[in-house]
Amino acid sequence: MLHQVLEALETATGPVSLDELSRQLKIEPGALEGMIAFWVRKGRLRSGVGGACGGACAHCGPQAGTCVFNAGGPRTIALVERTRSYPDR
Amino acid sequence: MTAVTLAAPGAALRYAPPIEAELDHLAATLGAVPALAERYPLRWLAVQLLEGDEQLLAEAESLGGPAVTAALAASRERLAPHYGEDLDVALVDQRYRFVHALAGQALTRPAAPPLTLSDRIDQVVTHRWLGIPIFLALMWVVFKITTDVTAPFVDWIDATLSGPVSGWVAALLSAAGLGGSWVEALLVDGVIAGVGGVLVFVPVLLALYFALALLEDSGYMARAAFVMDRLMHALGLHGKSFLPMIVGFGCSVPAIYATRTLDSRRDRILTGLLVPFMSCSARLPVYVLIAAIFFPAHAGLVIFALYLTGIAVAIVIGMLLRRTLFRKQPPAPFVLELPPYRLPTLRGVWRQMWERTAAFVRKATTIILATSIVVWLLLAVPVRGEGRFADTPVEQSAFAAVAGAAAPIFAPLGFGAWETSGALLTGFVAKEVVVSTLGQTYAVAAAEEEAVTPTTFGEDLLGIAGGLVSATGEALRALPGVVGITLEAPEEETAPEGLAAAVQAGFEASSGGHGALAALAFLVFVLLYTPCMTAVAAARHEFGSRWMWVSIVGQFVVAWLVALLVFQGGRLLGG
């Protein structure tokens, strides 16, 4: 099941929403969150906030306040580039 | 993957046989250590140790000594042929499978899970074919609000600053014995014409930030990014690129920093090169000023088209770069969490409007003020003719000489006058400065034509209050126009006056009578060339000097070529 999450991302032909992935894999959203968190801890997935203006924008002076997604953008989860095989599939 | 035995109804989790065997061995070894046996369930502890829990491992080794270390190492070695380095993955995976199977047996699910309100809205707004038209329609509404609804307030602030406020400053200086001096010229033609010329657009930016805050707080912005990402991905670009680009609608600087969310350096650089083409809010005052002069009936449409042009140019340049400098890497898909829709709160929306508008006003009183003073000084210094400091025809000033040297570059684009090339040069500092410089360079000519009727302070105050009431009424009447309902007969177009007339005459003269085309080319140039000095510094900080120069030169070339296409192409088509 855990590998299905990675495979779904590897074979996706464009961005997918978390809900869409949950329906596609027939995995409860809560369980999917846990699986994603596991792969993030393992370093196979990267999770981040889309806008990411906060810390970096400390340098941008008066423009800092004009940042859209200032309060935090949508979370994105992407594969970390790496090639490896799955021995236990 | 090895199957997990499910022993319902007791539902005890049994791992695959090799793991179970090692768990039994380990539990036996751990059970021989009373301190561990008393503190932890032994099977659970064995699972944690096999998964590599470092804290528990340290504790087990300190309490159990070398026997625990040796037993764990032996178990891992025996399991290695089955699971390689992924033993922890196998353990976690088997637990998920167990829970999934258990839930499948225990729960009865509807064939189609019930849709929440957010799901139903998403079915429409993120629809494969409807998503982009809906995004464009919302952008259209945003620009109608920022132009049509705020126009009366812009006129009101403009009339207040150029009329009563300038009059009060002149009167105060006269009382102090400085009437007609260079100090009066500095304050009226430099500070008020420059900074004031930018501050009149505060209502426009308030409206833009209001609309962006609504879209952001409601959760729609994430959908917009999702929909556009799909398009970008289909075109071979990195899907995540559009997230920084959406940020670029606010300001290019945080958008450049937001490229950090992309995984590879190549993608970050590529997106960093595209972000400045997205129309930041600082460019909006330029659009509003020029569009109101040349396209008063279609200002919203022109501004909307400029935003679309920015997106289209970014996509085309991105595709070109993908096929040349940045080939080799296929775009990587990703998962985007779409937050549930929320009703924006008044407090949240106001906070965002206030913070962003305050940032704009701070910029007006720092960078723009400083640039306005420098421009005024250069306009006051004569380099030709017999004028004196602050008493020279602007055509003979140092600013005109410097800007005039750059003007031939822009001549093929239809705006080769020194006033416009000067505004584009100072616009490198910040885009709002384009407006302040146009105000300063053209204001002198405009002021000479305007006859001022003396008024009392009380009359001024009454006029300001009356103007506000009138502007509010006009704005309310313009509101239904956002969705295409017109409450009153369209006003007859009147000939522009003052600054507007001077700007129009300037463009007409520099373009050989094709003023509107030249103005459109000028707007396209403003849209596409370097956003500001701070964005350049951000690009250098993130990508290095080499890419910073690629960005500056590339944007200039793209801006020049597209503006040339607009002007010369328009002329060929009979514009």
Side-chain angles (χ1 to χ4, degrees):
Chain A
M1 277 181 88
L2 277 170
H3 288 294
Q4 283 180 332
V5 178
L6 294 183
E7 282 167 18
L9 266 174
E10 281 168 351
T11 55
T13 53
V16 281
S17 75
L18 206 55
D19 287 345
E20 203 177 314
L21 189 64
S22 162
R23 279 194 291 272
Q24 183 188 324
L25 298 177
K26 295 189 173 64
I27 297 174
E28 286 286 327
L32 185 59
E33 281 283 1
M35 292 178 185
I36 288 170
F38 173 79
W39 283 125
V40 170
R41 281 198 304 277
K42 286 283 288 176
R44 300 291 303 276
L45 293 180
R46 186 198 300 266
S47 175
V49 174
C53 312
C57 222
H59 306 289
C60 40
Q63 287 95 331
T66 60
C67 177
V68 182
F69 289 146
N70 219 8
R75 186 165 64 112
T76 59
I77 300 125
L79 281 170
V80 173
E81 296 295 328
R82 182 173 159 185
T83 49
R84 67 187 290 185
S85 59
Y86 308 128
D88 192 37
R89 255 190 294 178
Chain B
M1 185 66 70
T2 316
V4 179
T5 309
L6 180 64
L13 166 63
R14 302 292 298 169
Y15 290 97
I19 294 178
E20 281 296 333
E22 296 309 323
L23 287 177
D24 290 343
H25 280 135
L26 266 179
T29 308
L30 296 169
V33 183
L36 288 173
E38 285 165 17
R39 197 174 297 178
Y40 299 108
L42 294 174
R43 180 180 163 85
W44 176 84
L45 183 58
V47 170
Q48 299 307 308
L49 294 181
L50 282 179
E51 276 186 33
D53 186 319
E54 289 177 3
Q55 203 177 340
L56 281 173
L57 178 63
E59 191 180 344
E61 284 179 338
S62 74
L63 294 172
V68 170
T69 315
L72 186 60
S75 290
R76 284 183 179 282
E77 202 174 320
R78 285 190 292 271
L79 288 170
H82 299 279
Y83 304 107
E85 291 176 3
D86 283 346
L87 177 58
D88 57 340
V89 177
L91 285 160
V92 175
D93 184 75
Q94 290 181 25
R95 281 205 297 276
Y96 271 115
R97 284 172 182 274
F98 169 74
V99 172
H100 189 69
L102 189 63
Q105 289 185 10
L107 297 174
T108 307
R109 297 175 194 280
L115 294 176
T116 63
L117 181 62
S118 277
D119 290 335
R120 279 197 282 268
I121 298 172
D122 276 344
Q123 281 184 339
V124 181
V125 299
T126 63
H127 187 271
R128 187 163 292 275
W129 303 113
L130 293 177
I132 290 177
I134 289 172
F135 172 61
L136 296 180
L138 281 170
M139 279 179 69
W140 165 253
V141 170
V142 169
F143 300 126
K144 286 294 277 181
I145 292 172
T146 53
T147 52
D148 296 3
V149 179
T150 62
F153 293 109
V154 172
D155 292 343
W156 171 68
I157 298 178
D158 186 31
T160 304
L161 287 175
S162 60
V165 173
S166 296
W168 295 339
V169 171
L172 277 174
L173 291 171
S174 291
L178 292 168
S181 69
W182 66 267
V183 180
E184 183 184 329
L186 170 64
L187 289 177
V188 176
D189 300 334
V191 177
I192 295 179
V195 177
V198 172
L199 285 179
V200 298
F201 294 102
V202 163
V204 173
L205 289 157
L206 266 176
L208 176 72
Y209 296 143
F210 168 74
L212 288 182
L214 280 185
L215 294 178
E216 192 182 332
D217 280 8
S218 65
Y220 177 74
M221 275 298 200
R223 272 78 183 177
F226 181 74
V227 164
M228 291 305 291
D229 276 334
R230 209 156 46 192
L231 173 70
M232 304 275 286
H233 194 91
L235 295 171
L237 294 168
H238 195 298
K240 273 167 94 177
S241 298
F242 205 73
L243 288 167
M245 288 186 177
I246 285 251
V247 176
F249 282 138
C251 174
S252 301
V253 178
I256 288 169
Y257 284 115
T259 57
R260 288 179 183 183
T261 55
L262 295 163
D263 300 325
S264 83
R265 178 169 161 78
R266 291 165 69 91
D267 281 327
R268 284 197 294 275
I269 294 172
L270 174 59
T271 308
L273 293 176
L274 304 181
V275 155
F277 293 124
M278 306 303 283
S279 189
C280 66
S281 59
R283 287 159 167 144
L284 192 57
V286 189
Y287 303 160
V288 173
L289 174 75
I290 300 294
I293 294 172
F294 290 93
F295 317 100
H298 306 289
L301 181 64
V302 169
I303 295 171
F304 177 64
L306 284 166
Y307 273 76
L308 290 190
T309 305
I311 297 173
V313 168
I315 288 176
V316 170
I317 300 291
M319 288 169 70
L320 278 175
L321 291 174
R322 261 281 173 217
R323 281 157 182 73
T324 52
L325 287 178
F326 293 88
R327 61 182 168 220
K328 291 177 189 165
Q329 278 197 334
F334 66 100
V335 177
L336 187 73
E337 184 181 32
L338 299 178
Y341 287 100
R342 293 174 307 220
L343 205 59
T345 61
L346 254 180
R347 191 177 170 187
V349 170
W350 171 250
R351 187 179 58 79
Q352 293 199 47
M353 286 169 68
W354 173 251
E355 279 178 6
R356 292 168 183 177
T357 309
F360 172 75
V361 173
R362 271 200 301 279
K363 193 155 65 161
T365 53
T366 50
I367 298 170
I368 297 168
L369 175 64
T371 315
S372 297
I373 291 172
V374 170
V375 169
W376 180 86
L377 282 171
L378 290 172
L379 281 166
V381 174
V383 291
R384 286 195 299 266
E386 294 176 358
R388 290 176 295 120
F389 179 72
D391 184 20
T392 182
V394 283
E395 298 81 6
Q396 296 174 4
S397 66
F399 186 79
V402 173
I409 299 170
F410 304 110
L413 316 181
F415 45 88
W418 69 267
E419 292 93 338
T420 40
S421 65
L424 292 174
L425 286 177
T426 56
F428 190 79
V429 175
K431 277 297 149 286
E432 299 92 331
V433 175
V434 172
V435 170
S436 63
T437 306
L438 285 176
Q440 285 177 284
T441 52
Y442 282 116
V444 179
E448 283 166 0
E449 292 168 11
E450 284 176 12
V452 181
T453 314
T455 51
T456 64
F457 185 68
E459 286 171 339
D460 283 345
L461 286 183
L462 274 176
I464 292 171
L468 178 60
V469 172
S470 166
T472 309
E474 282 180 48
L476 288 175
R477 283 195 295 278
L479 261 179
V482 171
V483 287
I485 303 167
T486 311
L487 291 181
E488 53 194 14
E491 286 179 20
E492 281 183 27
E493 281 191 19
T494 52
E497 296 171 353
L499 176 65
V503 171
Q504 194 173 49
F507 273 89
E508 289 291 347
S510 65
S511 63
H514 300 279
L517 261 183
L520 201 57
F522 180 78
L523 288 177
V524 167
F525 192 89
V526 169
L527 161 73
L528 299 175
Y529 89 113
T530 308
C532 62
M533 270 187 336
T534 323
V536 169
R540 182 168 173 271
H541 184 246
E542 290 297 291
F543 315 123
S545 296
R546 187 172 144 236
W547 287 110
M548 176 195 80
W549 283 110
V550 169
S551 177
I552 293 172
V553 175
Q555 285 158 31
F556 187 89
V557 170
V558 170
W560 195 90
L561 288 174
V562 180
L564 181 78
L565 189 71
V566 169
F567 183 67
Q568 299 295 352
R571 282 183 65 192
L572 283 175
L573 293 171

